[in-house]
Amino acid sequence: QVQLVESGGGLVQAGGSLRVSCAASGGTFSRLAMGWFRQAPGKEREFVSAINPIFWSARGTYYADSVKGRFTISRDNAKNTVFLQMNNLKPEDTAVYYCAASQSVLSSGTYSSPHQYDSWGQGTQVTVSS
C-alpha cells in the first residue's frame, strides 16, 4: 500500500509563491499517477492538478481551470516525489492540500475524481494572506 506524506505548506502573502511536496513510499512511484487536491473550510475537496507516469502515452498533466497558468505539477521519480509549484497565489488558494496516488492511468474522464485515486496523504496547510 502506498504511503504519502505532504510537506512544504505554510503562510504566504498574495502574489507570492510556494512549493508543496509529496513523498511516496511502499510502491513503485514511477508507475503511479499522482494528483493534488485541496479542501478549504466548509467546502468540498476539489481537484487541483495531476500527472501521469512519464512512460504512458496518455496526456501527461492536468490542471483545474482555477490554477491553470499559475500552478505547475512535476515529479522526480528518483526521489519518489511529486511537486506542486504554486505561483501568484491568491487568498482563495488557501486550503489543506492533499496528495493522492492512482495505480490506474488518468484520463480526461477520471483525473479530477477523488474515486480515481487509491492512496491519500494527510494534507499540508497552505494559507495565503491578502
Side-chain angles (χ1 to χ4, degrees):
Q1 187 171 353
V2 178
Q3 305 293 318
L4 304 173
V5 180
E6 301 95 336
S7 63
L11 191 152
V12 63
Q13 294 185 17
S17 299
L18 198 66
R19 187 179 75 164
V20 291
S21 303
C22 174
S25 62
T28 304
F29 180 78
S30 62
R31 299 178 182 176
L32 298 173
M34 303 296 298
W36 286 98
F37 290 74
R38 66 187 183 187
Q39 187 167 23
K43 295 185 178 180
E44 296 294 316
R45 187 169 300 188
E46 66 173 344
F47 169 79
V48 177
S49 185
I51 186 167
N52 265 319
I54 196 69
F55 55 82
W56 192 247
S57 60
R59 179 175 172 178
T61 59
Y62 299 88
Y63 295 95
D65 289 340
S66 60
V67 307
K68 195 171 298 181
R70 299 189 297 122
F71 291 11
T72 302
I73 190 170
S74 62
R75 64 193 299 161
D76 187 337
N77 289 335
K79 297 181 178 179
N80 293 343
T81 303
V82 64
F83 305 95
L84 185 68
Q85 177 67 46
M86 302 180 288
N87 297 327
N88 191 24
L89 283 161
K90 306 176 184 297
E92 52 262 43
D93 295 318
T94 295
V96 176
Y97 282 70
Y98 295 92
C99 177
S102 172
Q103 293 179 292
S104 301
V105 174
L106 304 174
S107 68
S108 60
T110 64
Y111 69 88
S112 64
S113 173
H115 299 292
Q116 168 68 28
Y117 298 84
D118 309 299
S119 302
W120 293 82
Q122 292 186 310
T124 185
Q125 176 71 48
V126 173
T127 302
V128 183
S129 62
S130 60

Short mmCIF file of all heavy atoms in Angstrom, two decimals, residues 4 6 18-23 29 32-38 46-54 59-64 67-77 80-87 97-102 106 111-112 117 120:
data_model
loop_
_atom_site.label_atom_id
_atom_site.label_comp_id
_atom_site.label_asym_id
_atom_site.label_seq_id
_atom_site.Cartn_x
_atom_site.Cartn_y
_atom_site.Cartn_z
N LEU A 4 1.78 8.25 1.58
CA LEU A 4 2.07 9.57 1.05
C LEU A 4 2.20 10.58 2.19
O LEU A 4 1.37 10.59 3.10
CB LEU A 4 0.97 10.03 0.10
CG LEU A 4 0.66 9.10 -1.09
CD1 LEU A 4 -0.56 9.61 -1.83
CD2 LEU A 4 1.86 9.03 -2.03
N GLU A 6 2.84 14.73 2.69
CA GLU A 6 2.99 16.06 2.12
C GLU A 6 3.86 16.93 3.02
O GLU A 6 3.93 16.73 4.23
CB GLU A 6 1.62 16.74 1.95
CG GLU A 6 0.65 16.00 1.05
CD GLU A 6 -0.30 15.12 1.82
OE1 GLU A 6 0.04 14.71 2.95
OE2 GLU A 6 -1.39 14.83 1.29
N LEU A 18 4.88 29.28 -3.53
CA LEU A 18 5.12 28.22 -2.57
C LEU A 18 5.18 26.91 -3.33
O LEU A 18 4.47 26.73 -4.32
CB LEU A 18 4.00 28.18 -1.53
CG LEU A 18 4.25 27.43 -0.22
CD1 LEU A 18 5.33 28.13 0.59
CD2 LEU A 18 2.96 27.35 0.59
N ARG A 19 6.02 26.00 -2.88
CA ARG A 19 6.08 24.68 -3.48
C ARG A 19 5.80 23.63 -2.42
O ARG A 19 6.50 23.56 -1.41
CB ARG A 19 7.44 24.41 -4.12
CG ARG A 19 7.48 23.10 -4.91
CD ARG A 19 8.82 22.83 -5.57
NE ARG A 19 9.83 22.41 -4.61
CZ ARG A 19 10.97 21.82 -4.94
NH1 ARG A 19 11.27 21.61 -6.22
NH2 ARG A 19 11.84 21.49 -4.00
N VAL A 20 4.78 22.83 -2.66
CA VAL A 20 4.48 21.73 -1.77
C VAL A 20 4.98 20.43 -2.39
O VAL A 20 5.04 20.30 -3.61
CB VAL A 20 2.97 21.62 -1.46
CG1 VAL A 20 2.54 22.79 -0.58
CG2 VAL A 20 2.14 21.60 -2.73
N SER A 21 5.37 19.50 -1.54
CA SER A 21 5.94 18.25 -1.99
C SER A 21 5.16 17.08 -1.41
O SER A 21 4.51 17.20 -0.37
CB SER A 21 7.40 18.13 -1.56
OG SER A 21 8.17 19.21 -2.04
N CYS A 22 5.26 15.96 -2.09
CA CYS A 22 4.62 14.73 -1.62
C CYS A 22 5.58 13.58 -1.85
O CYS A 22 5.91 13.26 -2.99
CB CYS A 22 3.31 14.50 -2.37
SG CYS A 22 2.51 12.92 -2.00
N ALA A 23 6.03 12.97 -0.76
CA ALA A 23 6.93 11.84 -0.83
C ALA A 23 6.14 10.54 -0.71
O ALA A 23 5.31 10.40 0.19
CB ALA A 23 7.97 11.93 0.28
N PHE A 29 6.93 4.20 -7.44
CA PHE A 29 6.46 5.56 -7.68
C PHE A 29 6.35 5.89 -9.16
O PHE A 29 5.39 6.54 -9.59
CB PHE A 29 7.39 6.56 -6.99
CG PHE A 29 6.98 7.99 -7.18
CD1 PHE A 29 5.94 8.53 -6.46
CD2 PHE A 29 7.64 8.79 -8.10
CE1 PHE A 29 5.55 9.84 -6.63
CE2 PHE A 29 7.26 10.11 -8.29
CZ PHE A 29 6.21 10.64 -7.55
N LEU A 32 3.05 5.19 -10.80
CA LEU A 32 1.85 5.80 -10.25
C LEU A 32 1.48 7.09 -10.96
O LEU A 32 2.35 7.88 -11.33
CB LEU A 32 2.04 6.10 -8.77
CG LEU A 32 2.29 4.92 -7.83
CD1 LEU A 32 2.63 5.43 -6.45
CD2 LEU A 32 1.09 4.00 -7.79
N ALA A 33 0.19 7.31 -11.13
CA ALA A 33 -0.31 8.61 -11.48
C ALA A 33 -0.52 9.37 -10.17
O ALA A 33 -0.99 8.80 -9.19
CB ALA A 33 -1.63 8.50 -12.24
N MET A 34 -0.17 10.63 -10.15
CA MET A 34 -0.22 11.41 -8.93
C MET A 34 -1.11 12.64 -9.11
O MET A 34 -1.13 13.25 -10.17
CB MET A 34 1.17 11.86 -8.51
CG MET A 34 2.17 10.73 -8.32
SD MET A 34 1.71 9.62 -6.96
CE MET A 34 1.77 10.75 -5.56
N GLY A 35 -1.81 12.98 -8.04
CA GLY A 35 -2.69 14.13 -8.10
C GLY A 35 -2.61 14.99 -6.85
O GLY A 35 -2.17 14.54 -5.79
N TRP A 36 -3.02 16.23 -7.01
CA TRP A 36 -3.15 17.17 -5.90
C TRP A 36 -4.60 17.63 -5.82
O TRP A 36 -5.20 18.01 -6.83
CB TRP A 36 -2.25 18.39 -6.07
CG TRP A 36 -0.80 18.14 -5.83
CD1 TRP A 36 0.17 17.90 -6.74
CD2 TRP A 36 -0.15 18.11 -4.55
NE1 TRP A 36 1.38 17.74 -6.14
CE2 TRP A 36 1.22 17.86 -4.79
CE3 TRP A 36 -0.59 18.28 -3.23
CZ2 TRP A 36 2.16 17.76 -3.76
CZ3 TRP A 36 0.33 18.19 -2.20
CH2 TRP A 36 1.68 17.93 -2.48
N PHE A 37 -5.14 17.59 -4.62
CA PHE A 37 -6.46 18.11 -4.33
C PHE A 37 -6.34 19.11 -3.19
O PHE A 37 -5.33 19.14 -2.47
CB PHE A 37 -7.42 16.99 -3.93
CG PHE A 37 -7.80 16.07 -5.05
CD1 PHE A 37 -6.92 15.14 -5.56
CD2 PHE A 37 -9.07 16.14 -5.61
CE1 PHE A 37 -7.27 14.29 -6.59
CE2 PHE A 37 -9.44 15.29 -6.65
CZ PHE A 37 -8.54 14.38 -7.14
N ARG A 38 -7.36 19.92 -3.00
CA ARG A 38 -7.35 20.85 -1.88
C ARG A 38 -8.74 20.98 -1.30
O ARG A 38 -9.74 20.76 -1.98
CB ARG A 38 -6.81 22.22 -2.29
CG ARG A 38 -7.69 22.97 -3.28
CD ARG A 38 -6.99 24.23 -3.75
NE ARG A 38 -7.82 25.02 -4.65
CZ ARG A 38 -7.39 26.10 -5.29
NH1 ARG A 38 -6.14 26.53 -5.12
NH2 ARG A 38 -8.22 26.76 -6.10
N GLU A 46 -11.56 19.62 -3.79
CA GLU A 46 -11.55 19.88 -5.21
C GLU A 46 -10.23 19.51 -5.85
O GLU A 46 -9.16 19.60 -5.24
CB GLU A 46 -11.88 21.35 -5.50
CG GLU A 46 -10.82 22.33 -5.02
CD GLU A 46 -11.09 23.75 -5.48
OE1 GLU A 46 -11.90 23.94 -6.41
OE2 GLU A 46 -10.49 24.68 -4.90
N PHE A 47 -10.31 19.12 -7.09
CA PHE A 47 -9.13 18.77 -7.87
C PHE A 47 -8.29 20.00 -8.17
O PHE A 47 -8.82 21.07 -8.46
CB PHE A 47 -9.56 18.10 -9.17
CG PHE A 47 -8.44 17.93 -10.16
CD1 PHE A 47 -7.52 16.91 -10.02
CD2 PHE A 47 -8.29 18.81 -11.22
CE1 PHE A 47 -6.49 16.75 -10.92
CE2 PHE A 47 -7.27 18.67 -12.12
CZ PHE A 47 -6.36 17.63 -11.97
N VAL A 48 -6.98 19.84 -8.12
CA VAL A 48 -6.06 20.92 -8.44
C VAL A 48 -5.22 20.58 -9.67
O VAL A 48 -5.20 21.32 -10.65
CB VAL A 48 -5.14 21.24 -7.25
CG1 VAL A 48 -4.14 22.33 -7.63
CG2 VAL A 48 -5.96 21.67 -6.04
N SER A 49 -4.52 19.46 -9.60
CA SER A 49 -3.63 19.08 -10.69
C SER A 49 -3.30 17.61 -10.60
O SER A 49 -3.45 16.99 -9.54
CB SER A 49 -2.34 19.92 -10.63
OG SER A 49 -1.51 19.66 -11.74
N ALA A 50 -2.84 17.03 -11.70
CA ALA A 50 -2.45 15.62 -11.73
C ALA A 50 -1.41 15.39 -12.80
O ALA A 50 -1.30 16.16 -13.77
CB ALA A 50 -3.67 14.73 -11.96
N ILE A 51 -0.67 14.30 -12.64
CA ILE A 51 0.37 13.95 -13.60
C ILE A 51 0.41 12.44 -13.77
O ILE A 51 0.36 11.68 -12.80
CB ILE A 51 1.74 14.51 -13.15
CG1 ILE A 51 2.80 14.26 -14.21
CG2 ILE A 51 2.17 13.92 -11.80
CD1 ILE A 51 4.08 15.06 -13.97
N ASN A 52 0.49 11.99 -15.01
CA ASN A 52 0.54 10.58 -15.33
C ASN A 52 1.99 10.07 -15.28
O ASN A 52 2.93 10.86 -15.30
CB ASN A 52 -0.04 10.34 -16.72
CG ASN A 52 -1.49 9.95 -16.70
OD1 ASN A 52 -1.92 9.16 -15.84
ND2 ASN A 52 -2.27 10.46 -17.64
N PRO A 53 2.15 8.74 -15.24
CA PRO A 53 3.50 8.19 -15.38
C PRO A 53 4.12 8.68 -16.68
O PRO A 53 3.45 8.75 -17.71
CB PRO A 53 3.27 6.68 -15.40
CG PRO A 53 1.99 6.49 -14.68
CD PRO A 53 1.15 7.69 -15.04
N ILE A 54 5.38 8.98 -16.65
CA ILE A 54 6.03 9.60 -17.80
C ILE A 54 6.08 8.70 -19.02
O ILE A 54 6.11 9.18 -20.15
CB ILE A 54 7.46 10.06 -17.41
CG1 ILE A 54 8.01 11.03 -18.43
CG2 ILE A 54 8.37 8.85 -17.23
CD1 ILE A 54 7.31 12.37 -18.42
N ARG A 59 -2.33 11.72 -21.84
CA ARG A 59 -1.98 13.11 -21.54
C ARG A 59 -1.16 13.17 -20.28
O ARG A 59 -1.47 12.53 -19.28
CB ARG A 59 -3.26 13.93 -21.41
CG ARG A 59 -3.02 15.40 -21.07
CD ARG A 59 -4.33 16.16 -21.09
NE ARG A 59 -4.18 17.50 -20.59
CZ ARG A 59 -5.17 18.39 -20.54
NH1 ARG A 59 -6.38 18.05 -20.96
NH2 ARG A 59 -4.93 19.60 -20.06
N GLY A 60 -0.12 13.98 -20.30
CA GLY A 60 0.82 14.00 -19.19
C GLY A 60 0.35 14.70 -17.94
O GLY A 60 0.54 14.18 -16.84
N THR A 61 -0.24 15.87 -18.09
CA THR A 61 -0.64 16.66 -16.93
C THR A 61 -2.04 17.21 -17.09
O THR A 61 -2.54 17.38 -18.21
CB THR A 61 0.32 17.83 -16.68
OG1 THR A 61 0.35 18.68 -17.84
CG2 THR A 61 1.73 17.33 -16.40
N TYR A 62 -2.66 17.51 -15.95
CA TYR A 62 -4.00 18.11 -15.92
C TYR A 62 -4.00 19.22 -14.89
O TYR A 62 -3.32 19.13 -13.85
CB TYR A 62 -5.05 17.07 -15.54
CG TYR A 62 -5.18 15.90 -16.48
CD1 TYR A 62 -4.40 14.76 -16.31
CD2 TYR A 62 -6.09 15.92 -17.53
CE1 TYR A 62 -4.51 13.68 -17.16
CE2 TYR A 62 -6.21 14.84 -18.39
CZ TYR A 62 -5.42 13.72 -18.19
OH TYR A 62 -5.55 12.64 -19.05
N TYR A 63 -4.79 20.26 -15.15
CA TYR A 63 -4.92 21.37 -14.22
C TYR A 63 -6.36 21.83 -14.13
O TYR A 63 -7.08 21.86 -15.14
CB TYR A 63 -4.06 22.56 -14.66
CG TYR A 63 -2.58 22.30 -14.62
CD1 TYR A 63 -1.90 21.89 -15.76
CD2 TYR A 63 -1.86 22.48 -13.45
CE1 TYR A 63 -0.54 21.64 -15.74
CE2 TYR A 63 -0.50 22.24 -13.41
CZ TYR A 63 0.15 21.82 -14.55
OH TYR A 63 1.50 21.58 -14.52
N ALA A 64 -6.76 22.19 -12.93
CA ALA A 64 -8.05 22.84 -12.77
C ALA A 64 -7.98 24.23 -13.40
O ALA A 64 -6.93 24.87 -13.40
CB ALA A 64 -8.40 22.96 -11.28
N VAL A 67 -6.42 27.19 -11.46
CA VAL A 67 -4.98 27.28 -11.20
C VAL A 67 -4.14 27.25 -12.46
O VAL A 67 -2.92 27.45 -12.38
CB VAL A 67 -4.51 26.16 -10.25
CG1 VAL A 67 -5.35 26.14 -8.98
CG2 VAL A 67 -4.57 24.80 -10.94
N LYS A 68 -4.75 27.03 -13.59
CA LYS A 68 -4.03 26.94 -14.85
C LYS A 68 -3.26 28.23 -15.12
O LYS A 68 -3.80 29.33 -15.02
CB LYS A 68 -5.00 26.64 -15.99
CG LYS A 68 -4.34 26.18 -17.27
CD LYS A 68 -5.40 25.69 -18.27
CE LYS A 68 -6.17 24.50 -17.73
NZ LYS A 68 -7.18 24.00 -18.69
N GLY A 69 -2.00 28.08 -15.46
CA GLY A 69 -1.15 29.23 -15.70
C GLY A 69 -0.43 29.72 -14.47
O GLY A 69 0.51 30.52 -14.59
N ARG A 70 -0.84 29.28 -13.30
CA ARG A 70 -0.21 29.69 -12.05
C ARG A 70 0.51 28.54 -11.35
O ARG A 70 1.55 28.75 -10.73
CB ARG A 70 -1.24 30.28 -11.09
CG ARG A 70 -1.93 31.53 -11.62
CD ARG A 70 -2.79 32.18 -10.53
NE ARG A 70 -3.86 31.30 -10.08
CZ ARG A 70 -4.03 30.90 -8.83
NH1 ARG A 70 -3.19 31.30 -7.88
NH2 ARG A 70 -5.05 30.11 -8.50
N PHE A 71 -0.06 27.35 -11.44
CA PHE A 71 0.50 26.18 -10.78
C PHE A 71 1.15 25.25 -11.80
O PHE A 71 0.70 25.14 -12.94
CB PHE A 71 -0.59 25.39 -10.04
CG PHE A 71 -1.17 26.08 -8.84
CD1 PHE A 71 -0.90 27.41 -8.56
CD2 PHE A 71 -2.00 25.37 -7.98
CE1 PHE A 71 -1.45 28.04 -7.44
CE2 PHE A 71 -2.55 25.98 -6.87
CZ PHE A 71 -2.28 27.32 -6.60
N THR A 72 2.18 24.56 -11.37
CA THR A 72 2.86 23.58 -12.20
C THR A 72 3.13 22.32 -11.40
O THR A 72 3.72 22.38 -10.33
CB THR A 72 4.19 24.12 -12.74
OG1 THR A 72 3.96 25.32 -13.49
CG2 THR A 72 4.85 23.09 -13.66
N ILE A 73 2.69 21.20 -11.93
CA ILE A 73 2.95 19.92 -11.29
C ILE A 73 4.16 19.26 -11.95
O ILE A 73 4.35 19.36 -13.16
CB ILE A 73 1.71 18.99 -11.35
CG1 ILE A 73 1.90 17.76 -10.46
CG2 ILE A 73 1.39 18.59 -12.78
CD1 ILE A 73 0.63 16.93 -10.29
N SER A 74 4.96 18.59 -11.16
CA SER A 74 6.12 17.89 -11.68
C SER A 74 6.44 16.71 -10.76
O SER A 74 5.90 16.61 -9.66
CB SER A 74 7.33 18.82 -11.79
OG SER A 74 7.72 19.31 -10.52
N ARG A 75 7.30 15.84 -11.23
CA ARG A 75 7.68 14.69 -10.41
C ARG A 75 9.15 14.37 -10.59
O ARG A 75 9.74 14.61 -11.65
CB ARG A 75 6.81 13.48 -10.75
CG ARG A 75 6.98 12.95 -12.17
CD ARG A 75 5.87 11.96 -12.53
NE ARG A 75 5.87 10.79 -11.65
CZ ARG A 75 4.83 9.97 -11.51
NH1 ARG A 75 3.70 10.21 -12.17
NH2 ARG A 75 4.92 8.92 -10.69
N ASP A 76 9.74 13.83 -9.55
CA ASP A 76 11.11 13.36 -9.57
C ASP A 76 11.06 11.90 -9.17
O ASP A 76 10.99 11.57 -7.99
CB ASP A 76 11.98 14.17 -8.62
CG ASP A 76 13.45 13.83 -8.73
OD1 ASP A 76 13.78 12.72 -9.19
OD2 ASP A 76 14.28 14.67 -8.35
N ASN A 77 11.08 11.02 -10.16
CA ASN A 77 10.94 9.60 -9.89
C ASN A 77 12.11 9.03 -9.08
O ASN A 77 11.94 8.07 -8.33
CB ASN A 77 10.78 8.82 -11.19
CG ASN A 77 9.44 9.06 -11.85
OD1 ASN A 77 8.46 9.41 -11.18
ND2 ASN A 77 9.37 8.88 -13.15
N ASN A 80 11.11 9.71 -5.61
CA ASN A 80 9.76 9.28 -5.26
C ASN A 80 8.91 10.44 -4.76
O ASN A 80 8.18 10.33 -3.76
CB ASN A 80 9.80 8.17 -4.20
CG ASN A 80 10.41 6.89 -4.71
OD1 ASN A 80 10.54 6.67 -5.92
ND2 ASN A 80 10.79 6.01 -3.79
N THR A 81 8.99 11.55 -5.47
CA THR A 81 8.35 12.77 -5.00
C THR A 81 7.62 13.48 -6.14
O THR A 81 8.13 13.55 -7.26
CB THR A 81 9.38 13.72 -4.39
OG1 THR A 81 10.06 13.06 -3.32
CG2 THR A 81 8.71 14.97 -3.84
N VAL A 82 6.45 14.00 -5.82
CA VAL A 82 5.72 14.85 -6.74
C VAL A 82 5.64 16.24 -6.13
O VAL A 82 5.54 16.38 -4.90
CB VAL A 82 4.31 14.29 -7.05
CG1 VAL A 82 3.44 14.26 -5.79
CG2 VAL A 82 3.63 15.11 -8.14
N PHE A 83 5.72 17.26 -6.97
CA PHE A 83 5.74 18.64 -6.51
C PHE A 83 4.57 19.42 -7.11
O PHE A 83 4.08 19.11 -8.18
CB PHE A 83 7.04 19.34 -6.92
CG PHE A 83 8.28 18.65 -6.47
CD1 PHE A 83 8.94 17.77 -7.32
CD2 PHE A 83 8.80 18.86 -5.21
CE1 PHE A 83 10.10 17.13 -6.92
CE2 PHE A 83 9.96 18.22 -4.79
CZ PHE A 83 10.61 17.36 -5.64
N LEU A 84 4.18 20.44 -6.41
CA LEU A 84 3.23 21.40 -6.94
C LEU A 84 3.79 22.79 -6.69
O LEU A 84 3.81 23.26 -5.55
CB LEU A 84 1.85 21.26 -6.28
CG LEU A 84 0.76 22.16 -6.85
CD1 LEU A 84 0.41 21.73 -8.28
CD2 LEU A 84 -0.49 22.13 -5.97
N GLN A 85 4.27 23.41 -7.75
CA GLN A 85 4.78 24.77 -7.67
C GLN A 85 3.61 25.73 -7.83
O GLN A 85 2.94 25.71 -8.87
CB GLN A 85 5.83 25.01 -8.75
CG GLN A 85 6.38 26.43 -8.78
CD GLN A 85 7.20 26.77 -7.56
OE1 GLN A 85 8.04 25.97 -7.14
NE2 GLN A 85 6.96 27.94 -6.99
N MET A 86 3.40 26.57 -6.85
CA MET A 86 2.27 27.48 -6.85
C MET A 86 2.78 28.91 -6.91
O MET A 86 3.45 29.37 -5.98
CB MET A 86 1.41 27.27 -5.61
CG MET A 86 0.88 25.85 -5.48
SD MET A 86 -0.15 25.59 -4.01
CE MET A 86 1.13 25.63 -2.74
N ASN A 87 2.48 29.59 -8.00
CA ASN A 87 2.89 30.97 -8.19
C ASN A 87 1.69 31.89 -8.22
O ASN A 87 0.56 31.46 -8.46
CB ASN A 87 3.67 31.11 -9.50
CG ASN A 87 4.95 30.31 -9.52
OD1 ASN A 87 5.60 30.13 -8.50
ND2 ASN A 87 5.33 29.83 -10.70
N TYR A 97 -3.89 21.10 1.32
CA TYR A 97 -3.56 20.46 0.06
C TYR A 97 -3.21 19.01 0.29
O TYR A 97 -2.36 18.68 1.12
CB TYR A 97 -2.39 21.19 -0.61
CG TYR A 97 -2.83 22.47 -1.28
CD1 TYR A 97 -3.22 23.57 -0.52
CD2 TYR A 97 -2.89 22.57 -2.67
CE1 TYR A 97 -3.66 24.73 -1.13
CE2 TYR A 97 -3.31 23.74 -3.28
CZ TYR A 97 -3.70 24.81 -2.51
OH TYR A 97 -4.13 25.96 -3.12
N TYR A 98 -3.88 18.14 -0.45
CA TYR A 98 -3.71 16.70 -0.31
C TYR A 98 -3.07 16.09 -1.54
O TYR A 98 -3.43 16.42 -2.67
CB TYR A 98 -5.07 16.02 -0.09
CG TYR A 98 -5.77 16.40 1.19
CD1 TYR A 98 -6.67 17.46 1.22
CD2 TYR A 98 -5.52 15.71 2.36
CE1 TYR A 98 -7.32 17.81 2.39
CE2 TYR A 98 -6.17 16.05 3.54
CZ TYR A 98 -7.07 17.11 3.54
OH TYR A 98 -7.71 17.45 4.71
N CYS A 99 -2.16 15.20 -1.30
CA CYS A 99 -1.53 14.41 -2.34
C CYS A 99 -2.28 13.09 -2.48
O CYS A 99 -2.73 12.53 -1.49
CB CYS A 99 -0.06 14.18 -1.99
SG CYS A 99 0.85 13.15 -3.14
N ALA A 100 -2.40 12.61 -3.70
CA ALA A 100 -3.09 11.34 -3.94
C ALA A 100 -2.36 10.55 -5.02
O ALA A 100 -1.73 11.12 -5.90
CB ALA A 100 -4.54 11.60 -4.36
N ALA A 101 -2.47 9.24 -4.94
CA ALA A 101 -1.83 8.35 -5.90
C ALA A 101 -2.85 7.42 -6.52
O ALA A 101 -3.78 6.96 -5.85
CB ALA A 101 -0.73 7.53 -5.23
N SER A 102 -2.66 7.14 -7.80
CA SER A 102 -3.53 6.23 -8.53
C SER A 102 -2.70 5.16 -9.21
O SER A 102 -1.70 5.48 -9.86
CB SER A 102 -4.35 7.00 -9.57
OG SER A 102 -5.08 6.11 -10.41
N LEU A 106 -4.50 8.03 -15.59
CA LEU A 106 -5.55 9.04 -15.61
C LEU A 106 -5.97 9.36 -17.03
O LEU A 106 -5.17 9.31 -17.96
CB LEU A 106 -5.06 10.32 -14.93
CG LEU A 106 -4.55 10.17 -13.50
CD1 LEU A 106 -3.97 11.50 -13.02
CD2 LEU A 106 -5.67 9.70 -12.58
N TYR A 111 -9.45 12.02 -14.20
CA TYR A 111 -8.36 12.68 -13.49
C TYR A 111 -8.81 13.56 -12.33
O TYR A 111 -8.08 13.72 -11.35
CB TYR A 111 -7.51 13.51 -14.45
CG TYR A 111 -8.21 14.75 -14.99
CD1 TYR A 111 -8.16 15.96 -14.31
CD2 TYR A 111 -8.91 14.69 -16.19
CE1 TYR A 111 -8.80 17.08 -14.80
CE2 TYR A 111 -9.55 15.81 -16.68
CZ TYR A 111 -9.49 17.00 -15.99
OH TYR A 111 -10.13 18.11 -16.48
N SER A 112 -10.01 14.12 -12.41
CA SER A 112 -10.47 15.05 -11.39
C SER A 112 -11.35 14.40 -10.32
O SER A 112 -11.81 15.09 -9.41
CB SER A 112 -11.24 16.20 -12.04
OG SER A 112 -12.42 15.74 -12.68
N TYR A 117 -8.38 7.74 -7.25
CA TYR A 117 -7.14 7.62 -6.50
C TYR A 117 -7.22 6.59 -5.38
O TYR A 117 -8.24 6.49 -4.68
CB TYR A 117 -6.73 8.99 -5.97
CG TYR A 117 -6.48 9.97 -7.09
CD1 TYR A 117 -7.54 10.68 -7.65
CD2 TYR A 117 -5.21 10.16 -7.60
CE1 TYR A 117 -7.32 11.55 -8.71
CE2 TYR A 117 -5.00 11.03 -8.65
CZ TYR A 117 -6.05 11.72 -9.21
OH TYR A 117 -5.83 12.59 -10.26
N TRP A 120 -4.03 8.35 -0.21
CA TRP A 120 -4.07 9.77 0.11
C TRP A 120 -3.13 10.11 1.25
O TRP A 120 -2.94 9.33 2.18
CB TRP A 120 -5.48 10.19 0.51
CG TRP A 120 -6.47 10.12 -0.60
CD1 TRP A 120 -7.13 9.01 -1.04
CD2 TRP A 120 -6.91 11.20 -1.43
NE1 TRP A 120 -7.96 9.34 -2.09
CE2 TRP A 120 -7.84 10.67 -2.34
CE3 TRP A 120 -6.60 12.56 -1.47
CZ2 TRP A 120 -8.46 11.47 -3.30
CZ3 TRP A 120 -7.22 13.35 -2.42
CH2 TRP A 120 -8.15 12.80 -3.32
#
